[in-house]
Amino acid sequence: MKDNLMEKIVSLCKRRGFVFPTSEIYGGLISSYDYGPVGAALIRNIRNLWWKEFIERRDDMVGLDSQIILHPRTWEASGHVANFNEPMIEDKKTNKRYRADHLIENWIKDKEQFADLVVENFTFEEMGKFIIDNKVKSPEGNDLSSPKKFNQLFNTSIGVIEDAKFEVYLRGETAQGIFSDFKNILDSTRIKFPFGVGQIGKSFRNEITTGQFVFRTLEFEQAEIEYFFDPEVSDWEKLMDEWKLQMISFVTKVLGIKNENLRWRRHTDKERSHYSKDTYDLDYNYPFGWKELWGIAYRTDYDLKQHAQFSGVELNYRDPITNKVFIPHVIEPAVGINRLFFITLCDAYTEEGDRIFLKFNPKIAPYKVAVFPLVANKPELVSKARRIYEDLKEKLVVTWDDRGNIGKRYYSQDEIGTPWCVTVDYQTLEDETVTVRDRDTATQIRMPISDLDSYFQNKLK
Ligand code: GAP
């Protein structure tokens, strides 16, 4: 099934309203996708669960919502202007551009002699040498240029008068808003170390590699945490281990992802970002193989020091009791909400005989319950079902369907992953009971209408 799982998921996403290609009527826009009616509901559930788990439920965390366009000096201080580069390579004949590391990774995929090669470790020069030594060609079979640095930051400008315009960037990570607001957060809250600041928001990267559905897009949503601590009091390795457990627990227990599809991978010295002393990726086994889902890095005091230097504002902390002054260090767990969305689809996609269903954890399912009248042309059944639907809607996200026959309705609810379908039939009119069909077993039970709410609330606990 894994072979064409990607096509099946992409096709289901379009058919049922999870994901559409952006601006499709104009032929689409590269690596850009919109979230349709059920996709928007699913991604909102994931975003809300992240916020609840990592901000609301914890005493040591606060939230933030900073801007997409920050002062441009931010990106000089953070090192993104100088270092946020990917190796770009060109097909000499077609002028098509590729990311050199991704191109080499694909080229060595089925070649046993390169099984142990870690392309992430290659410098730009080593990639160029590998391509020449091994006569690597473009996917079209043509010669390739040598890799060049390509900065991923998107830029635009502020100002109405041509001469007075100044260049700004769309943020490449949400993290920098947290660092530049660090002093305001400290001054406006009574939070004590260690503590974290989390935010969810759009980030933008001019990606060279395209065609990986919502895995890698130009515009995406990050959920990032900067967890600040005094390195003389807290042990960074211990903090990192604790955060790794929380990340796994969120993915498996809250989102319901299977453990066997997850693994940890430590970054090698060469591949680590310029700001990090140690980095791990929580990888997921996507339809196209193991790739990063969620990263965790020990960013030390790199960012606060850089911003203090570039802005001239001291970004340290004076302990009001001991008077000790220090620059906090940070552990950063950073994930893309769109990748969390994608793995819930990959993990939930199930085929049993002719039946296709999305076995979502009910907590993240776009709709929890669907309500139907057995047939749409019997007013008594429709009005009874409508009342049940209106009642349940006060407490749960519920959908209504009275199109086609009951089999077709089950089929479509299965494909959007609705855990339960309630059907009002002729017996309902006699004894106030309905059938409740379970998505995963396709079996039905009969129960009184008055029990429905507590039945679903218990299941959703
Ligand atoms: N602040 C650290 C940082 O940005 P990163 O590993 O570059 O680290 C963090 O990004 C997470 O953001 C990744 O683990 C991934 O989930 C997500 N992400 C990064 N680039 C993405 C893209 N182009 N499309 C979708 N998600 C992306």
Side-chain angles (χ1 to χ4, degrees):
M1 187 173 98
K2 196 106 184 159
D3 287 347
N4 49 3
L5 179 60
M6 189 73 173
E7 289 103 86
K8 287 176 177 173
I9 290 175
V10 173
S11 145
L12 184 145
C13 279
K14 174 103 193 284
R15 181 165 81 237
R16 294 294 175 193
F18 281 97
V19 180
F20 307 131
T22 295
S23 306
E24 198 181 15
I25 58 167
Y26 293 106
L29 183 68
I30 204 154
S31 293
S32 303
Y33 294 91
D34 295 341
Y35 292 79
V38 286
L42 174 61
I43 203 162
R44 193 177 50 247
N45 291 342
I46 294 171
R47 194 186 292 136
N48 291 348
L49 285 166
W50 184 95
W51 192 264
K52 189 170 173 195
E53 183 78 6
F54 294 113
I55 310 290
E56 289 174 358
R57 289 185 57 191
R58 299 178 61 128
D59 293 336
D60 60 344
M61 291 288 304
V62 289
L64 183 75
D65 200 343
S66 70
Q67 293 288 282
I68 285 169
I69 298 176
L70 304 173
H71 193 288
R73 291 275 283 164
T74 311
W75 304 103
E76 287 166 33
S78 68
H80 282 75
V81 171
N83 299 314
F84 201 41
N85 299 316
E86 297 297 357
M88 189 177 73
I89 201 162
E90 225 174 280
D91 178 316
K92 283 187 176 167
K93 201 162 170 196
T94 64
N95 295 103
K96 265 199 189 166
R97 288 162 177 184
Y98 301 95
R99 223 175 101 169
D101 52 341
H102 290 173
L103 189 130
I104 297 173
E105 264 172 16
N106 276 338
W107 189 82
I108 61 174
K109 217 172 223 166
D110 303 315
K111 302 185 171 69
E112 227 167 78
Q113 70 269 37
F114 298 116
D116 296 329
L117 203 76
V118 183
V119 182
E120 276 102 350
N121 284 343
F122 280 19
T123 60
F124 281 36
E125 293 69 35
E126 284 165 345
M127 282 183 218
K129 186 169 176 327
F130 183 90
I131 285 167
I132 293 171
D133 291 353
N134 294 285
K135 301 189 173 56
V136 179
K137 303 281 176 203
S138 74
E140 287 83 14
N142 303 319
D143 286 342
L144 292 158
S145 69
S146 49
K148 286 187 200 71
K149 283 186 182 167
F150 175 77
N151 193 287
Q152 286 192 282
L153 284 178
F154 272 105
N155 46 7
T156 181
S157 56
I158 295 184
V160 283
I161 303 163
E162 208 46 54
D163 296 346
K165 278 188 175 172
F166 67 97
E167 193 185 35
V168 290
Y169 303 98
L170 303 186
R171 67 182 172 200
E173 60 173 9
T174 56
Q176 294 308 323
I178 301 180
F179 294 122
S180 50
D181 276 338
F182 173 73
K183 195 170 162 4
N184 281 331
I185 294 167
L186 266 191
D187 293 347
S188 60
T189 61
R190 288 195 190 143
I191 198 135
K192 294 205 174 66
F193 286 90
F195 75 91
V197 183
Q199 77 166 325
I200 298 180
K202 287 284 177 89
S203 289
F204 300 81
R205 293 183 190 178
N206 206 348
E207 297 282 0
I208 306 165
T209 295
T210 58
Q212 290 176 305
F213 196 43
V214 296
F215 173 78
R216 193 185 306 281
T217 47
L218 306 185
E219 175 180 335
F220 55 99
E221 203 174 5
Q222 284 189 311
E224 299 201 284
I225 291 167
E226 302 305 327
Y227 199 73
F228 296 96
F229 61 95
D230 176 350
E232 285 178 8
V233 175
S234 308
D235 172 38
W236 70 267
E237 279 171 309
K238 195 161 162 270
L239 281 180
M240 203 158 185
D241 285 345
E242 282 167 15
W243 274 104
K244 281 166 75 183
L245 288 178
Q246 322 244 7
M247 289 156 66
I248 282 278
S249 160
F250 180 77
V251 175
T252 55
K253 299 209 177 91
V254 181
L255 301 186
I257 300 299
K258 298 177 200 93
N259 249 314
E260 75 235 35
N261 286 331
L262 297 163
R263 72 166 192 203
W264 285 106
R265 191 182 71 82
R266 191 180 198 173
H267 280 208
T268 60
D269 290 347
K270 284 189 182 166
E271 121 188 61
R272 253 196 333 267
S273 300
H274 60 278
Y275 51 70
S276 176
K277 194 163 165 183
D278 199 6
T279 301
Y280 285 84
D281 283 348
L282 178 57
D283 284 350
Y284 181 78
N285 193 8
Y286 296 92
F288 41 79
W290 290 97
K291 290 267 175 208
E292 176 182 356
L293 165 69
W294 196 333
I296 179 164
Y298 173 32
R299 284 181 92 127
T300 67
D301 54 0
Y302 173 85
D303 298 88
L304 287 182
K305 266 191 175 156
Q306 288 290 107
H307 288 302
Q309 191 194 326
F310 276 68
S311 66
V313 176
E314 296 226 352
L315 296 176
N316 52 26
Y317 176 73
R318 178 183 292 276
D319 189 303
I321 299 163
T322 62
N323 264 337
K324 177 181 167 184
V325 179
F326 65 94
I327 301 180
H329 283 219
V330 284
I331 297 286
E332 179 197 64
V335 69
I337 294 283
N338 316 75
R339 286 199 188 167
L340 290 174
F341 169 95
F342 187 31
I343 67 160
T344 62
L345 283 165
C346 298
D347 231 66
Y349 187 92
T350 312
E351 286 180 358
E352 268 176 25
D354 289 347
R355 209 159 78 85
I356 296 171
F357 58 108
L358 294 181
K359 216 171 173 175
F360 288 135
N361 178 346
K363 279 194 188 131
I364 61 165
Y367 300 115
K368 312 302 174 207
V369 181
V371 180
F372 324 135
L374 181 65
V375 285
N377 57 0
K378 290 278 178 242
E380 320 87 274
L381 294 184
V382 174
S383 65
K384 189 85 191 162
R386 201 71 208 171
R387 244 174 291 142
I388 295 172
Y389 167 70
E390 299 292 346
D391 278 355
L392 286 174
K393 225 167 97 159
E394 293 295 311
K395 294 145 195 154
L396 295 166
V397 184
V398 187
T399 183
W400 169 263
D401 197 355
D402 59 6
R403 298 161 308 164
N405 63 39
I406 196 90
K408 280 202 178 132
R409 294 183 214 154
Y410 284 150
Y411 183 74
S412 80
Q413 293 304 325
D414 278 349
E415 285 206 340
I416 58 175
T418 307
W420 304 286
C421 294
V422 170
T423 304
V424 168
D425 56 18
Y426 295 103
Q427 194 180 325
T428 313
L429 303 178
E430 286 162 21
D431 64 4
E432 292 283 307
T433 63
V434 286
T435 63
V436 177
R437 176 193 181 261
D438 182 272
R439 175 198 64 199
D440 300 345
T441 58
T443 54
Q444 295 177 33
I445 52 170
R446 233 186 145 89
M447 73 169 67
I449 296 170
S450 55
D451 288 355
L452 284 175
D453 180 34
S454 58
Y455 177 78
F456 296 133
Q457 299 293 355
N458 273 335
K459 293 264 184 191
L460 286 162
K461 263 186 193 153

